[in-house]
Amino acid sequence: QLGSGAYSLRVAGYDLCQSSESTLQYIIFDDKAPVNLPSPFNFKAEAISPSEIFLTWSDTSQNENGFEIWRKRKDAKGTFSAWEMPVLTKANVTSFNDKALSPASVYHYKIRSVNNSGRSNYTPGGQQDVIVTTPPDTESPSAPGELKATQAGVNAIRLSWKPSVDNSFIREYIIFYNNDSLHTGESDTTFILKKLITNTDYSFTVRAVDQAENVSPSSNLAQGNTYLRGLYYEHSTGAWDNIDMIDWSVAEFSGMVKNFTLSPKTQQDFFNFLFDGFLHIEKQGVYQFRLTSDDGSILNLNDSLLIQNDGIHNINTVTSPVHILEAGPQRITVKYFDYALADTLAVEYKGPDSDGEWMSIPPEALASTMITATENEVANEFDFSVYPNPTSQNRINIELQSISRDPIQIMIIDPAGKTLFENIIDYNTHFAISAPAYIETGMYIISVRQGFRLLKRKIIIQ
């Protein structure tokens, strides 16, 4: 049990690296501090909005460290909440604006001065309190603005918007999507929807709710989808003996890659990766998987452990039992950590899609769907142009039109169908790429893919 005295605080991250020590805070428990300070006087409270009460008082002490403001609320049935302290002010402060209160409610207040060794009596004294009633709120908030939807992981979409404006304060937002809705329960203007349906287009709007349960008009309409091409990864640093030691709920770095690769690592040793995405099976049949790593790794398919290759070890390969897989997307996740020295990770499979031979899972198979939309199907929502065309080798300018904000895969293909250049970049409406030096002048195909949407254009490199 803690005793009265001076306390300080340190915080530490997931790597257990500690912060510097905070300033000392003097605490006396059980209200046992001696009464050695004069009480503040002329304590007043005024409701200045349906959710704000402005408090003022006169400071009569010369050596207080601050003032404790205490309040309780009486509901419509006459039942009081427990006393709570919304603030401990700094020394010599003589006012406080108490916000985020409930409209049409009765609040009771009292105040006292405190320092490291004692306190004053409460003002008002005895059984008296300062009582004030907040006015009702009948004004609806403004509509949230600039709603945007972006992919934030497998079957996850991040929504962000500009906050609503209200005469009191926003209690929460309601997200409407397709035929469903969700209350956020908070006033934050970003929210990640998870466990959405794979390969689905979504339409979103958002409405604000204030403390009096007035609801705003709808925001603008935003579009998003759960089509996925490539893998999401999360990456952190630290030293571990096995995968179960790692806290996978936090990550220092994250992004997207087109295949299983350790290239985004930020140091040579002592790190981990979590890869998450889909393996699209085109041909139903019997498949096996093979996981090679130095150090530990595990592979899950459709949320079930398929391969265990954990622990600190040199290059080691583990092969899964055979599995019959239906055609379509299969959720695939790989966890990996490196302790020291060499690092290796390879994910292979064999089955009908690989003609029965072992092969590294190719980037084109790491997708939620293999459906390619035609130009007519995407003309109103996805298009791009190259300018100028003919173009130069060192700067190929691309202008993109898309309803999605997902990453973009760019490929340059020669007339024989061979891929000469490939890259994945973040969404942008205007960007430029440089062709490799070995690409000679001539006619080529440039391919732009975003999710399941794919278009190709002829370009001439001079």
Side-chain angles (χ1 to χ4, degrees), residues 113-182:
S113 54
V114 294
N115 64 15
N116 293 342
S117 61
R119 61 190 168 101
S120 74
N121 287 316
Y122 286 109
T123 298
Q127 301 298 314
Q128 301 298 312
D129 304 322
V130 170
I131 303 173
V132 62
T133 301
T134 54
D137 179 10
T138 59
E139 182 178 327
S140 296
S142 66
E146 299 183 21
L147 176 63
K148 298 178 181 178
T150 56
Q151 281 197 355
V154 176
N155 293 341
I157 293 178
R158 176 185 289 106
L159 299 174
S160 61
W161 58 91
K162 286 193 173 181
S164 297
V165 177
D166 191 55
N167 63 325
S168 57
F169 77 101
I170 303 301
R171 186 181 70 187
E172 66 172 350
Y173 290 89
I174 307 174
I175 297 170
F176 298 87
Y177 57 105
N178 293 11
N179 295 319
D180 208 343
S181 64
L182 179 146

Side-chain angles (χ1 to χ4, degrees), residues 43-47 53-55 68-87 96 98 101-102 104-111 122-134:
F43 184 43
K44 298 178 180 179
E46 178 186 5
I53 293 176
F54 188 63
L55 306 165
E68 293 179 352
I69 306 291
W70 291 85
R71 73 166 180 231
K72 63 181 178 179
R73 174 177 174 264
K74 183 169 70 172
D75 62 22
K77 297 180 180 180
T79 303
F80 283 100
S81 65
W83 283 103
E84 59 181 355
M85 186 177 70
V87 69
F96 172 65
D98 197 9
L101 303 176
S102 297
S105 298
V106 178
Y107 285 91
H108 290 230
Y109 288 92
K110 58 185 178 181
I111 187 174
Y122 286 109
T123 298
Q127 301 298 314
Q128 301 298 312
D129 304 322
V130 170
I131 303 173
V132 62
T133 301
T134 54

Side-chain angles (χ1 to χ4, degrees), residues 30 60 123 158 167 169 219 308 344 406:
D30 300 324
T60 59
T123 298
R158 176 185 289 106
N167 63 325
F169 77 101
S219 69
Q308 173 75 264
T344 299
D406 295 340

Side-chain angles (χ1 to χ4, degrees), residues 415-435:
K418 181 180 179 181
T419 300
L420 304 178
F421 169 86
E422 183 178 359
N423 194 18
I424 295 178
I425 64 173
D426 291 334
Y427 169 81
N428 205 327
T429 56
H430 295 81
F431 54 90
I433 61 172
S434 297

Side-chain angles (χ1 to χ4, degrees), residues 192-205:
I192 298 179
L193 284 164
K194 300 180 179 180
K195 297 182 179 179
L196 299 173
I197 301 172
T198 305
N199 296 336
T200 302
D201 290 298
Y202 285 92
S203 298
F204 301 95
T205 58

